[in-house]
């Protein structure tokens, strides 16, 4: 007799704990398959420290294959689930499609950024749900401080060194606290010409910081923020975002190049396609985490509305603590459905919360005991070390080195602004050439703030040149695309645009694709995106391709002929092939990353980065 097949969708806190516990309980009596877009489990509570340069990215990334030896890992993203046919359809990282049959299904897809209908936010902000967004924020903040230090104009300097964080929940508070320390350290070593200092703002419509925590912890966190110079404004949020600033709900305007969006999360839209009862976007389950009417389907984590037995009529909030505990109970109940052990209902006991404010400062209430200062900092870091399923020694070593050595404020340039759009339904994976995008429904959603939810950040120095395709920038005609976007006019000194002086260049290719978006929804058992040819196109060819956009938008590319170059050919040796262009579904590099070294054609020494 064949062994039962268990498929787990998602490797977040709930999915990872479910896979690890099931592997121990079943003892090779079942085939366990874990479907996840990345090969690691991300410990989200420490993500702000990655953005602040305290921890390296691999410290918060726990290998799935290394820690789950008896679990089969399949890289891909679930596109559709056929509950009647007991199959999960997925698309791999290179566009390949596949199907996973199951006897038991565990839905632990997690959550995505909660995109509110605020004008300009989708175009000028980024999320903070994954490593790509944290790495981009780290590069962007470093770059803005360096540009502000070199700026002669005082107004430009003030705008570049102003950082606005929206959302005073767990992650928004931690991002503002760590960010203020990071930028102050930069300016301390390299003072600005104008004598200005970085300015961080924390906004929220709530009446106080950390509204979901004890009021004493809220006062502690706000006091630490204000001591570091953070401008905390409660009862205030963003009314409109533009490429050079934000308009607040109190009528004031703030000139800034950085907007960090931390207003909350919503359940992964995957569950909406199942046609099952939902509660504020979450899949309704019973106290045993089983979907009513579907005894073979379980759900846990942020996608599941689990009844709170301690508070009848309520559901457990979307926090990392609950997701981690859901995973253990879910694994026990799945094993019980296969005849291993007994099932149990989910009942939790509040163990308290911890908020890392950087340095030796923190706010914590372990077991209901409020703490602040160095004692809270020690408890907070001790809790994280105990909760991490791996990399504990490396994390502790990084903390020790950060305490005795200065941080390295450098731009790696590994993640471009267009690679981490706010509306992305896959924040854990950056947009890269040759990888198809998910097509999940965008829009507003409800979802309480997770203790480890990240925020978003404003893209690039020139906001008007970094708009997502299909979204006209503020102040532009509705049909006119922004520069540096698919279907828009390429910027100067960028691939596909007018070359700079003293650099070899070529005429822009014909058949330049222009991007457009059309709505797309997903049905149960129906794939959300078509297969896409992996990798960049061959040199000299431009074939239109189909690819899915993010957040429920499908991007179709059609060839079009661009306008001729605006300037004469400056190369003394005729046109030169600039090399492979980015794939048709990706915009060219934005102005926030300088091009690499170029070879001169006049016999002089090669220049460095522009």
């Amino acid at each position: 007799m064949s062994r039962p097949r268990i498929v787990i969708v998602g490797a977040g806190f709930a999915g990872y704990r479910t896979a690890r516990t099931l592997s121990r309980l079943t003892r090779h009596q079942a085939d366990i398959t874990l479907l996840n877009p990345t090969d690691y489990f991300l410990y989200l509570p420490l993500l702000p420290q990655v953005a602040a340069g305290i921890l390296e990215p691999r410290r918060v990334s726990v290998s799935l294959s290394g820690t789950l030896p008896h679990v089969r890992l399949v890289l891909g993203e679930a596109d559709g689930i056929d509950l009647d046919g007991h199959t999960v359809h997925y698309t791999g990282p290179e566009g390949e499609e596949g199907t996973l049959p199951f006897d038991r299904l565990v839905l632990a897809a997690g959550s995505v950024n909660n995109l509110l209908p605020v004008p300009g936010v989708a175009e000028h902000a980024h999320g903070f749900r994954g490593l790509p967004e944290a790495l981009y924020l780290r590069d962007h903040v470093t770059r803005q401080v360096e540009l502000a230090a070199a700026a002669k104009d005082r107004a430009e300097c003030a705008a570049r060194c102003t950082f606005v964080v929206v959302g005073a929940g767990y992650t928004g508070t931690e991002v503002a606290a760590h960010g203020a320390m990071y930028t102050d350290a930069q300016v301390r070593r390299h003072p600005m010409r104008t004598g200005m200092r970085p300015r961080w703002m924390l906004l929220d419509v709530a009446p106080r910081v950390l509204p979901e925590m004890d009021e004493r912890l809220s006062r502690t966190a706000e006091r630490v923020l204000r001591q570091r110079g953070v401008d905390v404004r409660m009862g205030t949020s963003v009314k409109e975002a533009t490429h050079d600033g934000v308009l607040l709900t109190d009528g004031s305007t703030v000139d800034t190049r950085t907007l960090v969006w931390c207003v909350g999360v919503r359940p992964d839209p995957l569950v909406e396609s199942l046609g099952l009862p939902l509660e504020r976007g979450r899949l309704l389950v019973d106290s045993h985490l089983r979907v009513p009417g579907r005894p073979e389907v379980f759900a846990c984590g942020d996608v599941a509305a689990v009844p709170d037995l301690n508070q009848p009529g309520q559901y457990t909030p979307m926090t990392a603590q609950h997701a981690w505990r859901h995973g253990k109970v879910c694994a026990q109940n799945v094993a019980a459905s296969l005849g291993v052990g007994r099932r149990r209902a989910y009942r939790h006991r509040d163990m308290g919360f911890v908020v890392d404010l950087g340095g030796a400062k923190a706010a914590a209430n372990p077991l209901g005991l409020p703490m602040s200062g160095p004692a809270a900092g020690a408890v907070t870091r001790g809790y994280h070390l105990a909760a991490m399923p791996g990399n504990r020694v490396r994390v502790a070593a990084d903390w020790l080195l950060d305490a005795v050595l200065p941080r390295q404020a450098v731009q790696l340039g590994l993640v471009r602004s267009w690679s981490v759009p706010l509306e992305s339904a896959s924040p854990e994976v950056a947009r890269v050439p040759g990888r198809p995008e998910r097509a999940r429904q965008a829009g507003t959603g409800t979802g309480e703030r997770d203790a480890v939810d990240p925020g978003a950040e404003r893209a690039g120095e020139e906001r008007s040149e970094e708009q997502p395709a299909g979204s006209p920038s503020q102040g532009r005609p509705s049909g006119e695309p922004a520069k540096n976007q698919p279907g828009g006019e390429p910027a100067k000194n960028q691939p596909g645009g007018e070359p700079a002086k003293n650099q070899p260049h070529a005429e822009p290719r014909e058949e330049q694709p222009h991007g457009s978006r059309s709505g797309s929804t997903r049905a149960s058992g129906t794939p959300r995106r078509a297969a896409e040819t992996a990798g960049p196109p061959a040199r000299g060819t431009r074939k239109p391709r189909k690819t899915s956009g993010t957040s429920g938008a499908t991007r179709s590319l059609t060839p079009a002929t661009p306008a001729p170059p605006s300037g004469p050919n400056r190369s003394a040796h005729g046109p030169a092939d600039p090399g492979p262009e980015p794939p048709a579904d990706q915009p060219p590099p934005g102005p926030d990353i300088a091009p690499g070294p170029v070879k001169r054609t006049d016999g002089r020494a090669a220049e460095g980065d522009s």
Side-chain angles (χ1 to χ4, degrees):
M1 183 177 179
S2 61
R3 296 188 298 182
R5 299 162 298 184
I6 304 174
V7 175
I8 304 172
V9 179
F13 280 88
Y16 180 85
R17 186 78 182 278
T18 301
R20 193 171 73 168
T21 307
L22 266 176
S23 176
R24 177 177 54 85
L25 292 177
T26 58
R27 298 182 182 275
H28 309 287
Q29 299 178 17
D31 292 330
I32 305 174
T33 301
L34 180 60
L35 177 63
N36 197 58
T38 63
D39 64 348
Y40 59 84
F41 160 74
L42 178 63
Y43 190 75
L44 279 168
L46 295 181
L47 201 60
Q49 297 192 24
V50 175
I54 300 175
L55 298 177
E56 291 302 315
R58 291 186 180 181
R59 304 296 185 259
V60 299
S61 308
V62 179
S63 171
L64 296 178
S65 58
T67 56
L68 303 174
H70 304 300
V71 176
R72 177 194 173 204
L73 173 63
V74 176
L75 293 178
E77 303 175 48
D79 290 325
I81 299 176
D82 186 355
L83 297 178
D84 295 328
H86 286 205
T87 56
V88 176
H89 183 276
Y90 70 93
T91 303
E94 296 182 352
E96 69 279 9
E97 297 184 356
T99 301
L100 298 175
F102 65 85
D103 298 307
R104 297 292 185 274
L105 175 65
V106 178
L107 294 174
S111 55
V112 298
N113 290 311
N114 186 17
L115 183 59
L116 301 180
V118 179
V121 167
E123 295 84 2
H124 305 293
H126 289 281
F128 199 76
R129 291 290 299 166
L131 278 179
E133 294 165 321
L135 292 176
Y136 175 75
L137 178 60
R138 178 174 169 178
D139 273 4
H140 175 78
V141 171
T142 304
R143 178 170 54 255
Q144 294 305 313
V145 173
E146 292 171 348
L147 293 174
K152 298 181 180 179
D153 182 67
R154 190 173 182 86
E156 179 186 357
C157 179
R160 290 194 181 280
C161 63
T162 298
F163 307 94
V164 179
V165 182
V166 183
Y170 293 95
T171 301
T173 301
E174 291 182 345
V175 168
H178 283 282
M181 291 186 64
Y182 180 61
T183 53
D184 285 345
Q186 283 185 268
V187 175
R188 194 178 303 116
R189 290 192 296 268
H190 303 285
M192 298 184 181
R193 297 181 183 179
T194 58
M196 302 186 67
R197 298 190 62 83
R199 174 193 182 195
W200 284 79
M201 298 181 63
L202 181 62
L203 314 176
D204 202 310
V205 295
R208 59 187 176 90
V209 176
L210 299 173
E212 53 278 287
M213 293 186 66
D214 183 84
E215 189 172 353
R216 288 173 292 184
L217 298 183
S218 175
R219 291 196 299 266
T220 298
E222 183 173 353
R223 182 176 66 252
V224 172
L225 291 173
R226 293 189 183 277
Q227 287 174 353
R228 293 180 182 167
V230 179
D231 185 1
V232 181
R233 298 190 186 184
M234 295 294 98
T236 306
S237 187
V238 173
K239 184 177 181 179
E240 181 181 1
T242 63
H243 72 279
D244 56 359
V246 292
L247 175 63
L248 305 184
T249 53
D250 59 5
S252 61
T253 301
V254 178
D255 294 333
T256 180
R257 300 291 190 272
T258 307
L259 179 62
V260 186
W261 192 253
C262 306
V263 296
V265 295
R266 62 190 179 98
D268 193 300
L270 173 66
V271 298
E272 298 177 1
S273 65
L274 302 179
L276 298 174
L278 302 176
E279 169 63 28
R280 300 181 67 182
R282 292 195 284 174
L283 196 61
L284 278 173
V285 297
D286 58 21
S287 59
H288 298 91
L289 308 181
R290 177 175 286 183
V291 177
R294 294 285 180 176
E296 75 282 1
V297 181
F298 297 78
C300 54
D302 290 349
V303 298
V306 182
D308 191 343
L309 299 183
N310 295 330
Q311 303 181 39
Q314 302 293 325
Y315 298 95
T316 59
M318 298 168 63
T319 65
Q321 285 189 4
H322 281 289
W324 188 251
R325 298 169 185 173
H326 286 175
K328 181 179 180 180
V329 175
C330 183
Q332 292 173 339
N333 292 335
V334 171
S337 69
L338 299 175
V340 180
R342 296 183 304 174
R343 70 173 189 168
R344 53 174 291 193
Y346 178 74
R347 185 184 297 272
H348 72 94
R349 176 170 175 249
D350 189 2
M351 304 295 291
F353 295 93
V354 295
V355 180
D356 184 14
L357 300 176
K361 301 296 182 65
N365 61 343
L367 301 177
L369 177 63
M371 301 179 65
S372 61
V379 170
T380 299
R381 296 201 169 185
Y383 168 79
H384 287 317
L385 285 180
M388 288 193 68
N391 296 344
R392 295 187 181 95
V393 175
R394 291 183 172 90
V395 170
D398 276 4
W399 284 341
L400 177 61
L401 293 176
D402 180 71
V404 298
L405 297 176
R407 300 179 196 174
Q408 293 178 311
V410 295
Q411 304 176 50
L412 299 180
L414 300 178
V415 181
R416 309 294 180 92
S417 60
W418 53 265
S419 299
V420 284
L422 177 62
E423 78 277 10
S424 174
S426 301
E428 68 277 6
V429 180
R431 284 185 183 175
V432 296
R435 189 183 68 84
E437 301 299 331
R438 304 175 74 178
R440 293 190 178 177
Q441 293 180 345
T444 62
T446 58
E448 299 180 31
R449 183 77 191 148
D450 191 340
V452 294
D453 294 338
E457 185 271 336
R458 200 110 158 245
E461 307 95 55
E462 299 296 333
R463 302 314 169 104
S464 61
E465 297 183 358
E466 295 186 15
Q467 304 269 353
S471 300
S473 61
Q474 299 292 332
R476 293 182 182 272
S478 59
E480 181 183 354
K483 295 183 179 181
N484 285 351
Q485 296 300 319
E489 176 187 353
K492 296 182 179 181
N493 299 334
Q494 300 295 331
E498 180 184 357
K501 294 183 180 181
N502 299 326
Q503 295 190 13
H505 73 288
E507 297 292 334
R509 298 179 187 270
E510 297 185 358
E511 302 292 319
Q512 183 72 20
H514 288 231
S516 61
R517 294 191 177 189
S518 59
S520 172
T521 58
R522 182 176 54 181
S524 176
T526 304
R528 291 173 298 160
R529 56 186 175 188
E532 180 192 17
T533 303
R539 181 174 300 182
T541 61
R542 298 297 294 175
K543 294 183 180 180
R545 297 184 299 171
K546 295 181 179 179
T547 180
S548 297
T550 57
S551 302
T554 301
R555 181 180 300 166
S556 59
L557 302 181
T558 56
T561 303
S566 58
N569 190 334
R570 295 185 177 92
S571 176
H573 302 283
D577 192 344
E581 296 183 358
D585 60 340
Q586 303 297 343
D592 54 340
I593 302 297
V598 296
K599 185 178 181 180
R600 302 182 65 100
T601 59
D602 53 6
R604 296 166 59 185
E607 297 178 345
D609 290 348
S610 62

